[in-house]
Amino acid sequence: HTRSKRDWSSDVCSSDLQYKSASSFNSDGLACVQVGGLFGAIDRLNQFVIQPRFRSWSDIRNAVTSLTSGRYAGIELWAQDDPATGLVGYLNHFGEWAIPPQYETGYDFYDGYAIVSPGQRRWGVIDRMNRFVIQPNFGSSGEARSALNRLKGH
């Protein structure tokens, strides 16, 4: 079932745009919305502040928190499948590609690093600038994670 903005917030301009689901507005005037199978955020004028490109409620909520906290775009990045190519890239908190889709598989960043597979069942680790800090020479994501832990001294 879908709801229009006028159904859940009386102080917003009405719109023909329908959302599958929507949160209440936060104290910064942003609400998370679901459009089809993706999630974004709108302001009280029904304008997208974050395009609906995130794949989960938790990712869009984290992006809104990052944005409203004043964090720089690119400090936090989220893995996202690109429907056009089927490849994984990384979105910043504006829902823009900070790292264009180019990986067969990729996990979310943690402590500034993400484990990725560029293909051919090889795994490595990239930083936020999309540089391999561990070359994709490993046969599994677990082996790449172990190499990262050794690099970090764990």
Side-chain angles (χ1 to χ4, degrees):
H1 103 299
T2 61
R3 305 188 285 180
S4 71
K5 295 266 317 246
R6 61 177 122 0
D7 292 335
W8 49 271
S9 181
S10 60
D11 59 346
V12 176
C13 296
S14 65
S15 170
D16 292 333
L17 183 58
Q18 300 286 309
Y19 303 112
K20 188 171 181 179
S21 58
S23 70
S24 299
F25 284 100
N26 66 15
S27 61
D28 295 297
L30 299 179
C32 299
V33 296
Q34 182 178 8
V35 180
L38 297 176
F39 301 86
I42 57 170
D43 62 19
R44 291 184 184 273
L45 298 176
N46 200 33
Q47 301 297 312
F48 278 101
V49 176
I50 301 173
Q51 291 297 315
R53 294 191 181 120
F54 290 90
R55 61 182 170 202
S56 72
W57 276 110
S58 63
D59 285 350
I60 189 58
R61 285 187 189 118
N62 289 335
V64 167
T65 299
S66 178
L67 180 67
T68 58
S69 299
R71 296 183 181 127
Y72 291 109
I75 296 297
E76 296 173 296
L77 301 174
W78 293 270
Q80 176 67 50
D81 301 326
D82 178 21
T85 64
L87 298 174
V88 173
Y90 291 86
L91 296 174
N92 65 20
H93 62 220
F94 291 112
E96 301 164 338
W97 292 114
I99 298 175
Q102 58 194 277
Y103 297 107
E104 188 174 279
T105 307
Y107 293 99
D108 284 331
F109 275 83
Y110 181 75
D111 284 343
Y113 301 101
I115 297 169
V116 299
S117 173
Q120 300 177 346
R121 298 183 187 146
R122 306 309 299 163
W123 293 85
V125 179
I126 60 170
D127 64 13
R128 290 186 188 107
M129 300 300 293
N130 197 28
R131 296 177 295 216
F132 275 100
V133 294
I134 297 175
Q135 293 300 311
N137 297 326
F138 295 95
S140 73
S141 61
E143 291 174 7
R145 182 175 313 282
S146 294
L148 178 60
N149 287 338
R150 285 191 304 276
L151 180 71
K152 292 167 53 177
H154 296 147

